[in-house]
């Protein structure tokens, strides 16, 4: 994996009309929240329905509603591929906004919004009827490689296993074995288990424990530490999740392939590895639903945490000191009424709208 700093720059609306970008101002009433369950709690038909809905989005055509908002000199991503799929458009939102939604105050709110937006798209466009599941990676921290999650080879209800090294680590079984994604170049979904993914990153100052095994950061004990984090300390809580060798990045990198943003074979020299196209991997959304669950659990553990929020809008990863000084973003400061960007793909909402999962813009809880 190349040694590059950019590696770690690691809607339930009644009017969900393509390209509609007005800011939602009214408050919805959540009377019957959906219940998000861990993937293994789902029945095989429920798993099959989730997988089918993802594949459905990947068969829908590109939409011109996608409107990148970040200067290409900053985002460092390829231009929009207009022959790609609607799934690729969803991925491109994450690619384009990469520097705005990592190591800033948008990290938790954006990804909560993003997962919910994908769930809504699955329902509206592909008839999905279930609640969005999550992957509790702490259950598998002791042995991720042999986890039952990655032993599900069923072509209808399985997530599939690890990629074949002889075939550019492309996934060979499960429901996503034929999932072709467009970015950075067209390729089949890829995975590559890597227990010590930080070793190649020795030239980057923010990585201080290069020999760490990635699974050490997302054990059940580490999750309990995050949920028990000091009430009301949103910045510290975010750091506990998003620090460079913390749970968020470690799960991305231990799965490797697309989730780690590893450039596929045949990529041009301009391909920059990192988190931009990590949303290619459907596991991205199961992972971030778990990230959201940890935030949900912390919020609901103490009243001081529920509405606790603070963060800057500008990512600064120029040095270890900069990361210490601005762990979740430099000024200008974000506020609860700041807008969550959506690149034209989803109706925009405010941070306030996603702080409460059973009010504002959202209507779900975690089991």
């Amino acid at each position: 994996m190349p040694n590059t700093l950019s590696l770690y720059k690691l809607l339930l609306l009644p009017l969900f009309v393509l390209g509609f970008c007005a800011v939602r101002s009214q408050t919805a009433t959540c009377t019957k929240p959906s219940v998000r369950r861990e993937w293994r709690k789902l029945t095989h038909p429920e798993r099959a329905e989730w997988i089918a809905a993802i594949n459905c989005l990947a068969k829908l055509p590109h939409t011109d509603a996608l409107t990148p908002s970040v200067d290409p000199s900053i985002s460092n991503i390829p231009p929009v591929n207009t022959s790609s799929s609607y799934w690729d458009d969803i991925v491109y939102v994450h690619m384009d906004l990469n520097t705005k939604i990592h190591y800033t105050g948008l990290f938790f709110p954006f990804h909560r919004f993003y997962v919910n937006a994908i769930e809504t798209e699955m329902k509206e466009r592909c008839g999905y009827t279930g609640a969005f599941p999550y992957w509790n990676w702490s259950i598998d921290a002791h042995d991720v490689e042999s986890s039952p999650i990655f032993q599900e080879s069923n072509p209808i209800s399985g997530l599939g296993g690890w990629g074949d090294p002889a075939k550019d680590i492309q996934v060979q079984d499960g429901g996503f074995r034929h999932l072709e994604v467009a970015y950075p170049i067209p390729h089949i979904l890829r995975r590559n288990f890597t227990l010590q993914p930080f070793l190649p990153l020795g030239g980057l100052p923010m990585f201080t424990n290069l020999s760490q095994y990635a699974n050490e950061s997302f054990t059940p004990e580490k999750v309990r530490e995050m949920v028990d984090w000091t009430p009301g300390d949103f910045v510290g809580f975010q750091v506990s999740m998003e620090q460079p060798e913390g749970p968020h990045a470690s799960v991305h990198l231990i799965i490797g392939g697309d989730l780690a943003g590893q450039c596929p074979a045949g990529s041009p020299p301009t391909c920059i590895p990192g988190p931009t196209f990590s949303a290619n991997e459907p596991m991205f959304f199961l992972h971030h639903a778990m990230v959201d669950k940890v935030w949900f659990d912390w919020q609901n553990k103490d009243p001081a945490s529920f509405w606790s929020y603070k963060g800057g809008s500008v990512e600064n990863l120029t040095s270890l000191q900069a990361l210490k000084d601005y762990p979740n973003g430099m000024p200008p400061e974000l506020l609860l009424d700041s807008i969550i960007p959506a690149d034209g793909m989803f109706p925009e909402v405010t941070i306030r709208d996603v702080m409460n999962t059973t009010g504002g813009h959202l209507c779900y809880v975690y089991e």
Side-chain angles (χ1 to χ4, degrees):
M1 188 180 297
N3 180 4
T4 171
L5 178 62
S6 62
L7 178 62
Y8 270 90
K9 284 186 173 181
L10 284 170
L11 308 162
L12 292 169
L13 290 172
L15 263 179
F16 201 92
V17 181
L18 191 62
F20 177 75
C21 302
V23 176
R24 185 177 185 274
S25 58
Q26 69 274 24
T27 300
T29 300
C30 177
T31 57
K32 190 177 180 181
S34 63
V35 180
R36 293 184 173 183
R37 293 175 291 155
E38 210 275 334
W39 178 260
R40 281 160 281 209
K41 296 286 187 69
L42 272 58
T43 65
H44 286 283
E46 288 172 330
R47 298 178 193 181
E49 185 187 13
W50 188 84
I51 290 170
I54 299 290
N55 284 323
C56 166
L57 293 176
K59 290 180 174 65
L60 298 178
H62 160 75
T63 173
D64 290 335
L66 174 61
T67 309
S69 59
V70 178
D71 189 309
S73 67
I74 297 175
S75 61
N76 287 316
I77 57 176
V80 172
N81 180 345
T82 57
S83 64
S84 64
S85 74
Y86 194 74
W87 177 256
D88 296 314
D89 292 340
I90 291 170
V91 171
Y92 202 89
V93 173
H94 187 267
M95 293 171 62
D96 182 56
L97 299 175
N98 173 58
T99 57
K100 291 186 174 183
I101 59 176
H102 299 109
Y103 298 102
T104 73
L106 279 176
F107 174 73
F108 278 117
F110 172 84
H111 288 91
R112 174 174 282 182
F113 165 79
Y114 192 43
V115 173
N116 190 75
I118 273 56
E119 178 183 7
T120 300
E121 295 291 72
M122 292 164 68
K123 291 175 184 285
E124 296 289 330
R125 298 177 181 273
C126 297
Y128 181 64
T129 62
F132 206 91
Y134 65 95
W135 170 35
N136 185 346
W137 16 258
S138 72
I139 295 174
D140 301 298
H142 67 288
D143 188 0
V144 176
E145 186 174 20
S146 300
S147 164
I149 288 279
F150 299 106
Q151 307 300 317
E152 298 178 342
S153 61
N154 187 291
I156 304 298
S157 63
L159 293 171
W162 303 105
D164 183 347
K167 298 180 179 179
D168 192 29
I169 59 173
Q170 293 177 2
V171 173
Q172 301 295 302
D173 57 8
F176 298 121
R177 67 197 182 283
H178 299 309
L179 180 61
E180 182 172 338
V181 291
Y183 300 108
I185 60 171
H187 66 278
I188 299 297
L189 180 69
R190 299 151 61 251
R191 292 184 191 139
N192 180 39
F193 176 76
T194 308
L195 188 58
Q196 289 181 286
F198 303 109
L199 287 175
L201 306 177
L204 304 181
M206 66 280 301
F207 295 98
T208 58
N209 188 6
L210 301 179
S211 63
Q212 175 179 301
Y213 291 101
N215 61 334
E216 293 176 357
S217 72
F218 54 89
T219 62
E221 294 75 21
K222 293 295 185 181
V223 171
R224 282 196 294 272
E225 288 177 11
M226 288 188 288
V227 173
D228 292 340
W229 193 265
T230 305
D233 179 15
F234 180 86
V235 175
F237 171 72
Q238 180 175 331
V239 170
S240 72
M241 175 64 77
E242 206 194 5
Q243 59 187 290
E245 290 147 341
H248 167 247
S250 292
V251 172
H252 274 272
L253 291 180
I254 202 169
I255 304 303
D258 282 283
L259 193 61
Q262 294 175 330
C263 294
S267 295
T270 53
C271 177
I272 298 176
T276 56
F277 56 89
S278 58
N280 279 337
E281 164 69 90
M283 292 293 295
F284 172 100
F285 295 95
L286 298 181
H287 166 38
H288 271 280
M290 176 60 180
V291 170
D292 183 57
K293 181 184 185 301
V294 177
W295 182 26
F296 171 92
D297 289 343
W298 179 74
Q299 282 184 295
N300 286 278
K301 186 176 176 61
D302 191 288
S305 302
F306 195 86
W307 287 99
S308 175
Y309 181 75
K310 180 178 174 58
S313 60
V314 180
E315 176 190 86
N316 189 337
L317 297 177
T318 57
S319 67
L320 182 59
Q321 188 59 50
L323 183 60
K324 291 179 178 178
D325 292 340
Y326 307 105
N328 76 334
M330 291 174 57
E333 291 292 305
L334 292 164
L335 305 172
L336 288 177
D337 291 323
S338 297
I339 303 301
I340 298 175
D343 276 5
M345 286 289 290
F346 320 115
E348 292 178 338
V349 300
T350 66
I351 292 170
R352 185 187 306 277
D353 285 323
V354 301
M355 290 295 290
N356 181 0
T357 68
T358 57
H361 179 62
L362 308 170
C363 194
Y364 67 85
V365 295
Y366 285 97
E367 186 177 71

